[in-house]
């Protein structure tokens, strides 16, 4: 009997930080990461969260059922509004396997932002496409990995 491989799914969405989050963004992001690590470990989800220009951009990957349950909780969170799914698709492998959740604050002038632009226009989180969002998040993942490596070395 053949065993079918797990049906991994990757979700990328963008949301606007609400005043609840922006009052003390660093503190709120710490809280979010703490509960995300705890919950995502149980649900076998991996992902990455970026804060940028008043927006959250998050990738989450895992089995569809766990992903949907978690996203339902995330949608109801008053720390952000105007959630918009940028992409939701089957994933052959995990791109963010190193983290149950990890967050990084970016500014528009960071090289990873400039590299992710589809064209020469100014960066605008509202205009992220599936391609540019994935490029941005995988670029951030590379930076995170290099940072952990140099800390370990
Ligand atoms: P706890 O973390 O113990 O929190 C208890 C309740 O209080 C929850 O209902 C929570 O929504 C609420 N709460 C906590 N702090 C605040 C606050 N400062 N203001 C308002 N309400 C608050 N959760 C995940 O499990 N995985 C994720 O990947 C994930 N990503 C997130 C990304 C973003 C951008 C945001 C805003 C939230 C994210 N969350 C994530 C958190 C999620 O929305 C839920 O808050 C969390 O999953 C609830 O976990 P818990 O039941 O263990 O409750």
């Amino acid at each position: 009997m053949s065993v079918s491989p797990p049906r991994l799914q990757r979700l990328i969405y963008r949301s606007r930080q609400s005043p609840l989050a922006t009052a003390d963004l660093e503190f709120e992001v710490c809280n979010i990461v703490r509960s995300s690590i705890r919950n995502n470990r149980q649900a076998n989800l991996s992902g990455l969260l970026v804060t940028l220009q008043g927006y959250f951009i998050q990738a989450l990957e895992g089995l569809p059922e766990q992903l949907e349950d978690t996203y339902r909780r995330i949608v109801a969170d008053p720390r952000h509004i105007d959630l918009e799914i940028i992409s939701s698709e089957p994933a052959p492998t995990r791109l963010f396997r190193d983290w149950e959740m990890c967050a990084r604050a970016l500014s528009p002038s960071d090289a990873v932002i400039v590299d992710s632009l589809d064209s020469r226009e100014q960066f605008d989180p509202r205009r992220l496409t599936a391609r540019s969002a994935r490029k941005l998040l995988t670029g951030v993942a590379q930076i995170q990995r290099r940072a952990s490596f140099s800390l370990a070395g």
Side-chain angles (χ1 to χ4, degrees), residues 99-130:
W99 310 282
E100 281 97 16
M101 191 44 60
C102 164
R104 192 169 184 106
L106 292 180
S107 75
S109 57
D110 279 324
V112 66
I113 297 280
V114 178
D115 287 348
S116 72
L117 293 177
D118 279 336
S119 66
R120 298 217 148 264
E121 66 198 20
Q122 263 207 325
F123 184 77
D124 180 349
R126 289 165 302 179
R127 299 179 65 171
L128 276 171
T129 60

Side-chain angles (χ1 to χ4, degrees), residues 13 28 35-36 38-40 56 58 73-74 77 79:
Y13 74 87
E28 287 306 342
S35 54
S36 299
R38 187 183 62 233
N39 296 335
N40 294 357
F56 290 116
Q58 186 178 27
R73 285 202 311 277
I74 293 176
D77 195 310
R79 289 170 285 189

Side-chain angles (χ1 to χ4, degrees), residues 4-9 62-65 90-91:
S4 21
R7 301 155 296 124
L8 271 184
Q9 185 85 7
L63 291 181
E65 296 76 13

Side-chain angles (χ1 to χ4, degrees), residues 13 15-18 20-21 27-29 31-41 43 45-51 55-60 69-81 83 100-101:
Y13 74 87
S15 63
R16 212 145 54 78
Q17 293 156 9
S18 75
L20 257 178
F27 174 77
E28 287 306 342
V29 169
N31 283 341
I32 290 168
V33 170
R34 198 175 310 119
S35 54
S36 299
I37 289 177
R38 187 183 62 233
N39 296 335
N40 294 357
R41 181 171 296 152
L45 297 178
S46 43
L48 191 67
L49 175 67
V50 162
T51 63
Y55 285 83
F56 290 116
I57 302 154
Q58 186 178 27
L60 264 178
D69 280 354
T70 302
Y71 188 64
R72 251 195 299 275
R73 285 202 311 277
I74 293 176
V75 168
D77 195 310
R79 289 170 285 189
H80 58 173
I81 50 176
L83 281 81
E100 281 97 16
M101 191 44 60

